Structure formats: C-alpha cells, structure tokens
Amino acid sequence: MRIREIHLTPVAFRDPPLLNASGVHEPWALRTVVEIVTDEGVSGLGETYGDISHLDRLRAAVPGLIGLEVHAHHAIYARVAASVGEDVVVDQHGLIGAGSNQKTVDAVFSPFEVACLDIRGKAAGLRVADLLGGPVRDAVPYSAYLFYKWAGHPGAAEDRFGAALDPEGIVAQARLFIEEYGFASIKLKGGVFPPDQEIDAVLALRDAFPDLPLRIDPNAAWTPATSIRVGRALAGVLEYLEDPAPEIEGMAQVAPEVPMPLATNMCVVTHDHLPPAIAQGAIGVLLTDHHYWGGLLRSTQVAALCGTFGLELSMHSNTHLGISLAAMTQLAAATPNINHACDTHTPWQQGQDVVAPGALRFVDGAVPLPEGPGLGVELDRDALAVLHENYLKCGVERRDDTAYMRRTDPAFQPRRGHW
C-alpha cells in the first residue's frame, strides 16, 4: 500500500484557564489532525501540535511522502528529516523542556508514523498494540491531572470546574475528577505558587485520598536547594517528584538527596539526553511522549533502553484529543515496563473531540484497549469540521501561555529555577 493523499486539518477547541510555571492556558487549544489515504483506499489517523510553525513543517513534509509504502518506516523518517533540515528554529508548542533539531524532526514525523500504523493495523485486522509486540494489559491506567486555575477566563463566565487557587480548591477538583473518571492516582501541576503553599496542597490531597499515589510537577520552577527541601518535606507522600529543578545537572543535584525518584519530561526529551542523565543519576522515571520521541515504534525502543538501565516509565500528556489518547493507549498497552499511571488532559476537554464516541472510555480511571483494528477509533467528520471552523475564527495560531498571562499581569515572568 502506497501513500496517495495526506490531509492536514488544524483544529481549535475550548481550554480552561489552567495555571502553570509559564503562565496560563488561552481560551483555545490547537491541534492538527493528520489523515493518510492509500492507493487501496485505506485511511489512517494521526494527531499532533497545532502551532503554525509546526503546521508549516507538516505541510513541507507531505510532498516527499506521497508514493511511499506505508510500511517504509525508515524511508518516511528520512524524507521527513530532509524536509525539516538541520537548522530549524525549535518550536516548543507550549512545552518548556529542552528543545533540539532532533526533537523537531521526531515531532514532525510522529503523526505520519501513527497514521501509517493505523493503516497497517486496519489492513491486517490487527490493533496497533499488536503491531508493537502485543498488549501486556487490557486497559491503561491514567492519572487525575490537577491544575491550579482561575474560575474562568478573564471577562468570561465561571466554567464547570470552578476556581482552584488553594488546597481546598485542589481537593475539590480531585474529587470531581475521581467521581467522574474513577482515577486511582493524582498529579498536581505546580510551579505556580510558593513551594510551601504547594506542599500544603499535596498534604491536603494525601489527607483526602490517603490510598492514592500522588505526584507534583513544578516544571523546573524550583532551585535544587528548594527541590531538596520539598522532597524531604513530602517523604512518604509522593510516588515521584517530577521536574523540580532545571536541566540534567540540577536534577542530578537533587536526586540523591530526596527519598523518592525524580521523573522528567523536560530535561530528557531526545535520545542524546539519555547518556548524561543516566551517567549522572539524574532521574528514576522517564515520562515518554510519542509526539516528540519520534512516534510509537521509536518510543518502544526508548522503553526497552530504559528497562536496560533500570529507569521506570510513565507517559507525559500535553493538551490532546482522542486520536492521541488512542495512540497513547495502544503504546502503553504494549509497553511492559510502564510502571506508573499515564498523564492525560482528557477531562479538561469536556467532550470536545474529533473521534466518533464510543471507542474510548474511562473505566475505574483506565482506558480499555479499543476493540477495532488499527488505533480503534474513527474520525467524526462533522466534529472535525466544527473544530476546524473554530481554528479559522479563533485568531490563535501559536500557544503562548506567557503572553496570555501578561494580558492580566504585565509584569509576569515565567518561573524556572525561581524559588
């Protein structure tokens, strides 16, 4: 089967005002839906970032992929790498971790690879998890992903989640998510308030949900010294401490001084980062993300490498829709050494999606592996049209949490190694 057509559709959907170390989420989140159609009429889906610079790189890659076999993984990667070149300006898509040319190539390649695997699975009557070695679990656990947040966007009505600016608000948010989705672990996005306030929030979660694993992610907003102090204060409370301090070197200072493992999706984001991180003992848990690790097959290779060096695994989430959730679920189902519940932003999307309902659902905090072939999801073309129209009208072309925060607080500065 050869690639005959590739359709790229940028979409926008409503996003609540979620606070983080970079600022606050804008009212609209962006993604790009990738659909590949073969000469035999079989189609496959991928999903990726929606920033205009990334969309332009996807568009630049398309001509070189037409006519290639959907099985030609390495040839597709080589064509994408050639289209990106070696001197790109790195776009972080709202992420604040390390960036590199390699990460950009991998991010452009990933949705095309996922779509090809979707096609290959459909053609063979197999799930993508089967193509990745076969599922080792029938359902993938996800974590309640909590955020400090405003009650609503400035000038808008309060949203259904309400404000969460103190420990009581965070506990109420956790209770809502657990009641609606059944999550059995909890993650708090930190780096927003002084560390002692965020310690109080974690302790409030521990008191409210004593049997659930907890984690906090301040996005490297703390110094190594503060990270050590917080880690010791939360001894016996945290499952892991995610990206407390900047860079591999900062994490390496913290790791031997705290009682829980350190996790990252910021200082180790490409293959080149693994050797120094492992040599310095900087991390104990890697949060993989197929969107920037080069797709699903390359992510399984990273998982195997982590197993060799004794690193545990979880999975990072950026704001996403159902195609990404399906791909994450297929990958996690086929990865034996995923040791922790994965992250997901799904509850924040409030039902907005581009996939037909029914294939993806949460049962006791986990997503059962879809039964259909490929990714197991189908495109809802009416919903896609609505979200594309949102994109055309919303006026947002690039995620920028800092610029949006500065509309409310002109003096705001992103927090990195700040406290």
Side-chain angles (χ1 to χ4, degrees):
M1 291 181 292
R2 295 187 178 274
I3 297 172
R4 185 183 71 198
E5 304 169 15
I6 299 178
H7 305 286
L8 306 176
T9 308
V11 298
F13 50 97
R14 293 288 185 181
D15 204 16
L18 307 180
L19 298 166
N20 57 69
S22 293
V24 61
H25 287 204
E26 296 180 75
W28 295 100
L30 307 178
R31 299 294 276 181
T32 300
V33 173
V34 175
E35 183 178 15
I36 293 178
V37 183
T38 70
D39 55 357
E40 297 181 16
V42 183
S43 63
L45 301 173
E47 179 190 327
T48 184
Y49 312 111
D51 310 85
I52 188 64
S53 57
H54 186 66
L55 182 59
D56 286 343
R57 292 191 184 105
L58 295 170
R59 289 167 171 160
V62 165
L65 304 183
I66 302 300
L68 292 181
E69 281 276 358
V70 296
H71 302 282
H73 177 91
H74 299 299
I76 294 170
Y77 189 89
R79 294 285 182 90
V80 168
S83 73
V84 171
E86 298 180 355
D87 298 311
V88 302
V89 177
V90 176
D91 191 328
Q92 294 292 75
H93 322 292
L95 305 175
I96 55 176
S100 69
N101 188 79
Q102 181 67 62
K103 184 178 177 183
T104 299
V105 171
D106 285 349
V108 175
F109 169 74
S110 175
F112 297 119
E113 183 244 26
V114 171
C116 285
L117 285 170
D118 189 23
I119 290 168
R120 291 164 61 183
K122 290 174 179 176
L126 299 171
R127 298 165 296 187
V128 167
D130 296 315
L131 302 180
L132 300 177
V136 296
R137 53 185 64 87
D138 295 326
V140 173
Y142 286 89
S143 184
Y145 200 164
L146 310 183
F147 281 78
Y148 290 104
K149 68 177 292 294
W150 297 332
H153 285 283
E158 180 173 333
D159 60 44
R160 71 177 294 261
F161 304 106
L165 299 170
D166 53 28
E168 292 75 20
I170 290 296
V171 169
Q173 188 184 104
R175 187 166 286 113
L176 173 67
F177 280 16
I178 290 167
E179 288 175 353
E180 293 189 354
Y181 293 86
F183 293 119
S185 65
I186 299 173
K187 170 176 173 173
L188 172 62
K189 177 67 77 177
V192 175
F193 295 113
D196 286 335
Q197 290 181 229
E198 298 186 351
I199 290 174
D200 289 343
V202 173
L203 294 177
L205 288 168
R206 189 270 315 271
D207 292 343
F209 309 99
D211 298 326
L212 301 191
L214 304 177
R215 53 186 93 152
I216 184 171
D217 171 20
N219 281 139
W222 304 337
T223 65
T226 296
S227 302
I228 292 168
R229 180 175 69 81
V230 174
R232 290 174 176 173
L234 295 175
V237 177
L238 292 182
E239 174 186 17
Y240 59 68
L241 177 56
E242 182 180 340
D243 283 311
E247 311 301 343
I248 291 172
E249 292 72 20
M251 296 280 280
Q253 293 179 51
V254 178
E257 304 295 334
V258 296
M260 71 286 292
L262 300 188
T264 189
N265 71 277
M266 290 181 63
C267 69
V268 180
V269 296
T270 70
H271 298 73
D272 289 345
H273 297 143
L274 281 165
I278 292 169
Q280 295 178 51
I283 62 170
V285 182
L286 178 67
L287 277 70
T288 61
D289 186 327
H290 74 273
H291 300 90
Y292 58 72
W293 277 98
L296 304 182
L297 288 170
R298 289 169 71 86
S299 292
T300 64
Q301 296 164 0
V302 171
L305 184 62
C306 287
T308 299
F309 287 95
L311 297 181
E312 297 180 353
L313 289 175
S314 184
M315 190 175 289
H316 167 255
S317 163
N318 197 9
T319 304
H320 63 82
L321 294 169
I323 298 170
S324 282
L325 180 63
M328 293 165 65
T329 300
Q330 296 283 344
L331 174 61
T335 305
N337 55 330
I338 289 275
N339 312 93
H340 304 273
C342 302
D343 296 345
T344 181
H345 283 65
T346 295
W348 296 111
Q349 303 342 132
Q350 304 178 72
Q352 302 169 99
D353 214 334
V354 295
V355 300
L360 298 171
R361 66 190 192 282
F362 283 82
V363 179
D364 296 329
V367 175
L369 192 62
E371 296 179 358
L375 291 176
V377 297
E378 297 295 334
L379 198 59
D380 183 332
R381 296 195 181 277
D382 290 338
L384 179 68
V386 170
L387 269 59
H388 179 56
E389 188 69 16
N390 289 345
Y391 175 84
L392 297 176
K393 292 181 177 179
C394 73
V396 177
E397 289 190 328
R398 177 178 177 270
R399 176 177 168 178
D400 192 337
D401 293 7
T402 300
Y404 187 56
M405 174 65 88
R406 284 175 177 163
R407 297 184 192 179
T408 300
D409 179 5
F412 175 80
Q413 293 294 328
R415 298 181 175 100
R416 188 171 175 84
H418 173 76
W419 279 299

